Amino acid sequence: FEQNDFRALKMLASLLHSEDTTTLAVACHDIGEFVSMHPLGKKMISSLAVKERVMELMGSVSPTHREVRREALLCCQKIMLNKWQDMDN
C-alpha cells in the first residue's frame, strides 16, 4: 500500500463517489480491512477525509443501497475502533 504514496488507497477513496452500488460496497469493505490491518490505516484514512464519505453512505435511504449501508457501517466501526495495542498508558 505504501508504494506510489498510497496510490491504491487513494484509488479506493475515489471509488467511494461511484454510482455503482457494488463498487461502493466493495470499496467500503476494502477500506475497512485496510484500517484494521495497516499500522497507519487510521492516519491515512483521516488524511483522505474518507470517514465523512463512509458516514454519508451509511445514511443512504435508497432501497438499492442495502449492501452499501451494511459495508459502510462495518467500515465505520473499524475506523472508530481503538485497539488496546494502540492505546497510550
Side-chain angles (χ1 to χ4, degrees), residues 52-64:
E52 293 80 5
R53 178 62 182 148
V54 170
M55 292 181 90
E56 286 174 17
L57 292 171
M58 228 172 37
S60 173
V61 294
S62 173
T64 61

Side-chain angles (χ1 to χ4, degrees), residues 30-61:
D30 290 352
I31 288 170
E33 289 299 303
F34 173 78
V35 167
S36 65
M37 299 296 193
H38 197 283
L40 297 175
K42 288 184 184 184
K43 182 178 181 181
M44 290 306 301
I45 291 301
S46 79
S47 73
L48 296 173
V50 168
K51 185 169 99 175
E52 293 80 5
R53 178 62 182 148
V54 170
M55 292 181 90
E56 286 174 17
L57 292 171
M58 228 172 37
S60 173
V61 294

